[in-house]
Amino acid sequence: MTRSALSFPAGFLWGAATAAYQIEGAAREGGRGESIWDVFCRVPGAVADAQNGGVACDHYHRTAEDIALMKDLNLAAYRFSISWARCMPDGVTPNPEGIAFYSRLVDQLLDAGITPWVTLYHWDLPQALEDKGGWASRETAERFAAYAALMHEALGDRVRIWTTLNEPWVSAFLGYAAGIHAPGRREPAAALAAVHHLLLGHGLAVRELRRRDPEATLGITLNLTVADPADPDREGDVDAARRVDGQSNRLFLDPIFRGEYPADVLADVAHLGMADVVRPGDLDVISAPVDVLGVNYYHGDAFTTDPEPRPAQPASPLVAADGVRQVPRGLPVTGMGWEVQPEGLRRLLNRLQREYTGPAGIPIYITENGAAFEDVPDAAGFVDDQARLAFFDEHLRALHASLADGVDVRGYFAWSLLDNFEWAFGYHQRFGLVRVDYDTQRRIPKASGLWYSRVAASNALTAMDESA
Ligand code: IFM
């Protein structure tokens, strides 16, 4: 079978993404404070092989080399996150040396003709704020807005695109309920309070940034999914899919785009007291208009409440408590065990446009999409990662189909520029377009990276002969 050549609309933005804790290293340099990930990585058994982001890709010392790499890959934009603890070591007090690092990074990107796309929060809360309750505490949302203002003060003359949060679902549910991400808490009620305070922090930051800079492009990045019933004729499975969709998608989309939490989700979790942390006026703050929606898509899943043993695994913590399990569908999986489901991206994008971004009149950017596979470098360190390349190609074709359906998608960021610290998996899962030899810090573009550079340069996918 041959896949046809496809062109993308003029101006479609091609980029790659990273996050501070995953690549920077220099954890103890430049006055940086500890984040919850520094502390979590020290908990025995929390992270594979007791690894941590202390050195990571040493990007802190290699920004010039990494920006040259971005240029070689023809990236028009680079999405990176700022370490709050580098810029405000205790979450409150500014650290000029840390701020200067990002100021230089932005200058270097602009000199290279690459648009900086800043994410303010990619999971690395200053530990000092966690010690005061973390995202379960309302104060953290207020601190976040002050941090956003500080960063705008420093970078706002050059950075035009600001993302408040990356994947608040992960911060709240994996960090505060499942306990498998920092800060490692297993407190369902705190997780729901964290959902609200993360969203409140987003809204307060948007208000602050908008006031300072009415022309800036502001948004949030959500990790969204496509939840299907394992058996569409089984009532329990349909309800299982509703619950997952509710907690993963609508619990975040509805307050931002409609100014309300979904009633069915609130009813499902009523015993956990989420309503108690929501104060009058909060939802007005949270639903302040944004200019773009960032979507991170990796996979969808099928769900059941059927208790019969079959290959199934517990779904995310709060729905698992209601007996919801995820059922493998026999699709190919990535190194993370995630099903490869490109058609899910088209369904997701079309739904977002229909129900949320279309009515709001705002565009979507894919701010992350990619895959970890076991890479086997040759003697020269080159990785011929055809599976990853095919993953990107298939998802970009699904995105293109959405464009043809009329969905307003303006850009795509591959996850990730570099192999990096993959959270609880340490360095075992590699997502990079570029291989990083962690012993030498040598960077070598993979086959997928070279392919992506051609896609970005030509603004098109070439024909692919799958039988070749
Ligand atoms: O590495 C992460 C990233 O930090 C957030 N989105 C998912 C990626 C792959 O797990």
Side-chain angles (χ1 to χ4, degrees):
M1 193 177 112
T2 303
R3 297 191 210 157
S4 54
L6 293 174
S7 293
F8 285 78
F12 192 83
L13 191 68
W14 295 99
T18 64
Y21 191 69
Q22 294 181 270
I23 65 161
E24 283 179 8
R28 293 171 189 274
E29 288 180 51
R32 177 183 177 279
E34 284 211 309
S35 83
I36 53 175
W37 273 94
D38 298 295
V39 174
F40 185 65
C41 289
R42 293 200 291 267
V43 175
V47 172
D49 300 340
Q51 295 176 345
N52 60 58
V55 175
C57 307
D58 195 32
H59 171 73
Y60 185 81
H61 298 115
R62 295 169 191 265
T63 50
E65 179 188 349
D66 289 342
I67 291 169
L69 203 52
M70 293 174 210
K71 210 148 167 58
D72 287 348
L73 293 177
N74 298 315
L75 303 185
Y78 172 51
R79 174 176 177 252
F80 63 96
S81 79
I82 293 177
S83 159
W84 185 347
R86 198 179 285 293
C87 297
M88 294 176 127
D90 59 359
V92 181
T93 315
N95 171 32
E97 198 175 344
I99 297 168
F101 166 72
Y102 295 104
S103 188
R104 284 194 303 276
L105 175 64
V106 166
D107 283 343
Q108 288 170 289
L109 287 166
L110 292 172
D111 286 348
I114 297 170
T115 298
W117 183 300
V118 166
T119 299
L120 285 164
Y121 185 73
H122 196 124
W123 307 352
D124 44 358
L125 186 70
Q127 179 63 32
L129 295 184
E130 176 57 29
D131 293 342
K132 291 186 180 163
W135 286 109
S137 157
R138 190 178 178 92
E139 192 189 330
T140 301
E142 287 151 11
R143 295 290 182 203
F144 180 67
Y147 157 61
L150 176 79
M151 294 321 303
H152 187 272
E153 190 68 40
L155 309 178
D157 55 337
R158 289 155 290 153
V159 170
R160 307 308 305 138
I161 307 171
W162 297 84
T163 294
T164 54
L165 306 175
N166 179 72
E167 303 186 2
W169 180 90
V170 174
S171 296
F173 286 101
L174 300 190
Y176 289 82
I180 57 173
H181 272 210
R185 288 165 64 175
R186 291 194 162 85
E187 302 163 36
L192 289 168
V195 167
H196 182 64
H197 296 139
L198 281 153
L199 287 169
L200 183 63
H202 154 77
L204 291 170
V206 165
R207 190 160 77 182
E208 189 62 42
L209 295 172
R210 189 76 78 203
R211 191 176 62 74
R212 293 168 169 266
D213 189 353
E215 303 303 320
T217 298
L218 309 179
I220 186 169
T221 278
L222 303 176
N223 56 312
L224 299 172
T225 193
V226 178
D228 291 322
D231 176 354
D233 295 326
R234 196 176 174 277
E235 208 178 307
D237 291 9
V238 172
D239 195 54
R242 173 195 66 75
R243 283 172 188 266
V244 174
D245 177 58
Q247 285 187 20
S248 303
N249 298 330
R250 292 181 288 113
L251 186 57
F252 297 89
L253 290 162
D254 284 19
I256 293 167
F257 287 97
R258 298 180 179 160
E260 59 189 18
Y261 285 114
D264 62 317
V265 179
L266 288 185
D268 291 343
V269 298
H271 57 295
L272 294 170
M274 182 170 178
D276 300 341
V277 299
V278 182
R279 295 195 189 159
D282 283 0
L283 283 150
D284 294 334
V285 174
I286 293 170
S287 58
V290 287
D291 306 304
V292 295
L293 175 66
V295 174
N296 292 357
Y297 176 78
Y298 288 91
H299 60 106
D301 290 298
F303 295 94
T304 187
T305 49
D306 187 347
E308 284 303 308
R310 50 167 144 171
Q313 53 206 41
S316 65
L318 269 61
V319 287
D322 296 322
V324 175
R325 300 192 305 158
Q326 185 233 316
V327 185
R329 289 169 286 193
L331 296 171
V333 294
T334 68
M336 300 287 279
W338 296 343
E339 291 185 337
V340 178
Q341 196 202 349
E343 61 81 23
L345 178 59
R346 181 180 184 181
R347 272 199 279 153
L348 174 64
L349 291 172
N350 290 18
R351 178 212 184 169
L352 289 172
Q353 163 111 347
R354 197 171 54 245
E355 297 182 21
Y356 297 101
T357 55
I362 66 164
I364 296 171
Y365 286 79
I366 301 299
T367 39
E368 283 181 31
N369 176 236
F373 287 108
E374 198 168 329
D375 289 338
V376 184
D378 66 16
F382 178 74
V383 177
D384 189 17
D385 57 339
Q386 292 302 318
R388 186 177 291 104
L389 189 159
F391 181 100
F392 283 126
D393 182 76
E394 287 165 12
H395 285 78
L396 284 167
R397 284 172 193 279
L399 188 163
H400 196 278
S402 269
L403 289 171
D405 295 337
V407 181
D408 186 5
V409 187
R410 303 264 179 97
Y412 178 93
F413 290 81
W415 184 267
S416 179
L417 175 67
L418 304 169
D419 288 341
N420 59 45
F421 176 76
E422 177 55 32
W423 309 111
F425 295 90
Y427 296 95
H428 296 292
Q429 298 288 346
R430 292 174 176 267
F431 278 88
L433 294 169
V434 175
R435 180 171 179 84
V436 176
D437 177 330
Y438 296 122
D439 294 329
T440 62
Q441 291 295 349
R442 189 166 163 227
R443 277 89 159 122
I444 305 175
K446 302 176 191 176
S448 62
L450 299 175
W451 170 86
Y452 190 67
S453 70
R454 293 192 292 274
V455 172
S458 60
N459 198 28
L461 293 171
T462 49
M464 293 256 289
D465 182 357
E466 287 181 300
S467 56

